[in-house]
Amino acid sequence: LPEPVTAADGLDAEFWAGLEHDELRVQECRTCGTRQFPEWICHRCLGFDLSWVPVRPTGTLYSWERVWNPSHPAVTALPYLVVLVQLDDAPEVRMIGNLLGDPHQTVVIDSPLEAAFEHHERFTLVQWRSAGLRTDPPG
């Protein structure tokens, strides 16, 4: 698969830099306190004074899908679980990732999840696992 890279405009560079250190970061508006995933402007007050802040790498399962068909020719491990996670410290932010563990496991909406940082040679990905379950990410 192609490796993920920072956006050409550098907007999400702080997000990717945080992942290298097992830290989940989101933007926070210094004017109104809204937390969001990167934009040049605050979604709530339309302010431009945004900073990056670390948040706990935990969240709640908002939605999910069991994927049975490969999205890319390099994907051979099927099925796999894709989850949409609402972050505990930034409920305005939802992140997509894979759910680690048995791909046939029972998946329950509103379940607590925690991030698993999957380090590769030149990048780090965020995967998810059931809170309290220690399943190390591949790689």
Side-chain angles (χ1 to χ4, degrees):
L1 289 171
E3 71 180 60
V5 294
T6 301
D9 60 10
L11 182 61
D12 59 354
E14 283 292 319
F15 171 76
W16 292 104
L19 296 184
E20 292 177 23
H21 304 286
D22 292 353
E23 185 176 85
L24 198 55
R25 297 177 186 169
V26 298
Q27 279 184 323
E28 182 175 73
C29 178
R30 290 186 178 122
T31 302
C32 71
T34 294
R35 291 184 170 180
Q36 63 187 30
F37 202 66
E39 272 296 339
W40 292 108
I41 190 169
C42 174
H43 295 171
R44 181 175 292 152
C45 74
L46 305 180
F48 290 96
D49 193 10
L50 301 166
S51 64
W52 285 89
V53 296
V55 295
R56 286 180 297 151
T58 59
T60 302
L61 181 65
Y62 186 84
S63 185
W64 66 281
E65 176 71 29
R66 194 176 326 267
V67 179
W68 294 93
N69 297 305
S71 58
H72 188 278
V75 176
T76 58
L78 295 167
Y80 60 94
L81 294 166
V82 176
V83 292
L84 181 60
V85 180
Q86 186 168 2
L87 300 181
D88 289 338
D89 285 351
E92 307 92 336
V93 178
R94 295 182 187 141
M95 296 186 74
I96 292 177
N98 293 331
L99 182 62
L100 301 176
D102 182 355
H104 298 284
Q105 67 187 281
T106 300
V107 182
V108 180
I109 298 294
D110 291 332
S111 295
L113 300 176
E114 60 188 20
F117 297 93
E118 183 181 296
H119 297 279
H120 296 268
E121 189 174 321
R122 297 193 318 223
F123 61 91
T124 300
L125 297 176
V126 177
Q127 307 290 9
W128 296 91
R129 63 178 165 235
S130 295
L133 178 65
R134 291 289 172 210
T135 304
D136 291 327

